[in-house]
Amino acid sequence: MPPGIPEPEGSSNLIDTDYEIGQNNVEGSLGPLGFDIHNPVFLVSALSIIAFVFYALVFHDQAAAAFGALRPWLTSTFDWFFMSAANIFVVFCLLLIVTPYGSVRLGGTEATPDYSYAGWFAMLFAAGMGIGLMFFGVLEPVYHMAVSQPLGTPSPFDADGNVIEANVAMARDMGLAATIYHWGLHPWAIYAVVALALALFSYNKGLPLTIRSAFYPILGERVWGWWGHIIDTLAVFATLFGLATSLGFGAQQAGAGLEFVFGIGNSINLQVVLITGITAVALVSVLRGLDGGVKVLSEINMGLAALLLLFVLFVGPTLAILTGFGEGLVTYAKELLPLSNPVGREDDSYRQGWTAFYWAWWISWSPFVGMFIARVSRGRTVREFVTCVLIIPSIVCVLWMAVFGGTAIEQVFTNPDSLVKANVIDSYSPELSLFGMLADLPLASITSVLGIVLVIVFFVTSSDSGSLVIDTITAGGKVDAPVPQRVFWCVFEGAVAITLLLGGGLASLQAMVISTGLPFTIVLLAMCVAIWKGLSSERR
């Protein structure tokens, strides 16, 4: 078994390979700092990213123009591909739940879970969705209800901004249902595919905890050569740019909160300072390790998030929230197939501007979230694993959107001067949407500060978790590589986020996510085949 990965407990079908983890690694030290890197993957990844950072900083205007044009071209050209792939991942996960393969236990037939349900849920949820829920929880339901009009849903407002009462109920339900579609089964199916592949081939097959290991049933021993190097390098690029996008969203929202509460101007310079400072805090968490850093921060996140959720639920329009939750779920169930349909639609703003970008973002995050979930999921059966990763976080996301989005929608219709309407519908200042919603509730100054803290702590958790995953990949699957390497990647994540913000803002961040998510989508589709082959040889 690779160092740092427990031996299977009970029966398991180990893969017999001549490869030894670390055999292509370069070990040494630079003064007091040790390193243990997988030579091709680390060097190609690091040098490519350094070159990219140099280009974006030195040729700022050219980079901004290129990034600005790249995202709309990619989403309009490949929207059908992203949507079709995401549908395949959902169907594949549902098949695993109902087939006999669901009884395979990750880690061997006698393996027991390393973490309780509470700790497990906290870690996978905080790492997987935290910053995104804070940024889009208010923004998206309101925006889809009033602006993007998915599936041709009529607007609840006329050209003069007056409410059209006959359209309100349909627009409200579709706004929430269209948001649930982006945060429910599809993204978590993407995460589940990668996480299951990594857990199966590491804990049951005895291969290194790295993306290439999942392709052994397809490539055989060639997986340790250049085919594997390409797969792992793509995973590093996808993870780094996916994280950089999230950090960019988090910096913009934290800066907006500071401006809203304390009057500090939300400039690019402030966002750069925020990314720098939070990256420094993440370094402390890196040094504390998985249990002392990420696990503790994740549990703090969950506690603070639950506190804010309950406050908004009971202080806000509780009945409207609960009613909207139920009606939004029903509408989601009714419209799931039309929303998933990749062809013959005219709602380009929603399908290309939102759905295609989201699926590319989730796919680019999948090596990061998938490896992290795999690290903390040993001992679960495949059925338990897929069900929990697919269903339970989806329900939490739906509840979050119903509470925050439902409150915001109610404010839009009951208060024509609401800050939510001004920030989302009239001027489109998305980073202010959460704080605009909180401003219309009691104790706004306290809850706004809590919101800023939550964004920052989610930010730190994602940076720490991401550096752990990238370091594992670039160390050839070693989970106990020298800590300075994780520090290196943690610093690099912040540097890339800063560079992309300076080189074109969120448009550049989103463009890089889609451009790296596109080739990695092909990797995930092949991974489904490898999982099926791997499970077929396991004792159930």
Side-chain angles (χ1 to χ4, degrees), residues 373-396:
I373 293 175
R375 287 283 300 269
V376 298
S377 299
R378 183 178 173 276
R380 309 288 177 184
T381 65
V382 169
R383 183 172 294 111
E384 178 187 19
F385 172 88
V386 175
T387 301
C388 290
V389 172
L390 199 64
I391 304 299
I392 294 176
S394 295
I395 293 173
V396 175

Side-chain angles (χ1 to χ4, degrees), residues 89 190 193-194 215 363 366 520-528:
F89 300 141
I190 292 169
V193 166
V194 179
F215 292 87
I363 288 167
S366 63
F520 206 72
T521 304
I522 301 171
V523 173
L524 261 66
L525 290 169
M527 194 176 281
C528 293

